[in-house]
Amino acid sequence: MRVLLREYGLRVALGLVADRLLRRLSGNRCGLYWYRFYQQAVSDQPLAREDPNLVYRWLAQHDPVLEQMPRPAANLRARFEQDVKCLVVMKQEELIACAWFGFGRFHEDEVNCIYRMPADAVWDFDVYVVPRYRLGRTFARTWQAANALLVKEGVAQSFSRISAYNPHSIRSHQRLGAVQVGSALFLRLGALQLMCSNLGPRVSLTLGSARAPQLDFGRFVCAAVSRC
């Protein structure tokens, strides 16, 4: 517990403990999800020196290379049923990183919730780097390549959710200029879900997959106007 308090602080540590207990007792049918929402300017300014050994591919449909990710294959295939694209970073035949982007709206795949994006924004999610490449510049290079592609499509900003239980990802995004714009707490008890958020709708109670609460990010302007 002392380690958790030092790493997460009191509130997040208590949330993490509650989440783990719920999952253990319910066989992963219940959980306490704590999301922090971040906004980040999309810019084609360089973030890291290019690595000539890396190859970038922009996928709009499922590709077998994605199965190198530690994610259920069915989940990966289902993502492309929405308006989603994935940037994969390859080193020879090995997948070393990827970043996913949703356009217009995105239905969260952990809880029952829909995010709505303004016309000049994307929803970025599941930015993954193979563990042995996380100490280098792979994360920054992935963002750099993604930004270059998104700028060409007229995208000026991205929004994302990061688990409050993942301080490493939060710090990585903040180093690249991400700014927190909101948060939400989801208590899932089987098919029953209670959401509390500082974004509208502030409170939502749902049963099953019907009537998912919709969080609209359209009211946010770019956090760094000079870079948009």
Side-chain angles (χ1 to χ4, degrees), residues 47-49 51 54 91 96 129-142 168 172 175-176:
L47 300 172
R49 182 179 299 177
D51 183 340
L54 300 183
K91 192 170 187 178
I96 67 169
V129 179
V130 171
R132 71 173 181 273
Y133 292 100
R134 290 176 184 172
L135 295 179
R137 303 292 293 168
T138 302
F139 182 85
R141 291 188 178 107
T142 301
H168 173 76
S172 296
R175 282 195 294 268
L176 295 176

Side-chain angles (χ1 to χ4, degrees), residues 140-192:
R141 291 188 178 107
T142 301
W143 268 110
Q144 180 172 281
N147 282 348
L149 293 167
L150 292 171
V151 165
K152 292 179 180 179
E153 297 194 16
V155 175
Q157 57 184 327
S158 71
F159 292 91
S160 59
R161 61 92 171 149
I162 306 175
S163 172
Y165 312 140
N166 190 349
H168 173 76
S169 181
I170 289 174
R171 288 192 292 267
S172 296
H173 279 75
Q174 288 175 335
R175 282 195 294 268
L176 295 176
V179 177
Q180 185 175 346
V181 294
S183 63
L185 194 66
F186 295 84
L187 174 62
R188 185 164 59 85
L189 303 173
L192 183 68

Side-chain angles (χ1 to χ4, degrees), residues 5 13 34 80 85 114 140 194 212:
L5 288 172
W34 190 343
F80 289 104
K85 292 183 180 180
I114 294 173
L194 173 65

Side-chain angles (χ1 to χ4, degrees), residues 76-130:
L76 295 173
R77 291 179 181 275
R79 291 179 180 183
F80 289 104
E81 295 175 4
Q82 304 189 63
D83 189 3
V84 165
K85 292 183 180 180
C86 178
L87 176 71
V88 296
V89 186
M90 306 292 297
K91 192 170 187 178
Q92 296 179 348
E93 299 300 318
E94 179 188 11
L95 174 70
I96 67 169
C98 65
W100 297 75
F101 300 91
F103 295 78
R105 52 178 273 168
F106 179 74
H107 199 145
E108 174 66 55
D109 57 4
E110 280 193 338
V111 297
N112 187 27
C113 179
I114 294 173
Y115 307 118
R116 288 189 173 274
M117 298 297 103
D120 68 341
V122 292
W123 181 259
D124 74 76
F125 65 103
D126 200 7
V127 181
Y128 173 77
V129 179
V130 171

Side-chain angles (χ1 to χ4, degrees), residues 14-100:
L14 291 175
L16 178 59
V17 170
D19 179 63
R20 289 179 176 177
L21 286 174
L22 285 169
R23 292 173 185 273
R24 181 173 298 179
L25 293 174
S26 68
N28 215 36
R29 294 182 63 252
C30 302
L32 184 65
Y33 299 81
W34 190 343
Y35 294 157
R36 291 177 176 171
F37 301 118
Y38 285 84
Q39 177 191 44
Q40 186 170 343
V42 172
S43 168
D44 56 4
Q45 296 299 312
L47 300 172
R49 182 179 299 177
E50 288 288 355
D51 183 340
N53 297 313
L54 300 183
V55 175
Y56 303 93
R57 295 171 56 193
W58 197 238
L59 304 179
Q61 60 185 7
H62 182 76
D63 189 288
V65 71
L66 293 173
E67 294 171 13
Q68 296 182 37
M69 287 183 68
R71 303 286 189 273
N75 177 277
L76 295 173
R77 291 179 181 275
R79 291 179 180 183
F80 289 104
E81 295 175 4
Q82 304 189 63
D83 189 3
V84 165
K85 292 183 180 180
C86 178
L87 176 71
V88 296
V89 186
M90 306 292 297
K91 192 170 187 178
Q92 296 179 348
E93 299 300 318
E94 179 188 11
L95 174 70
I96 67 169
C98 65
W100 297 75

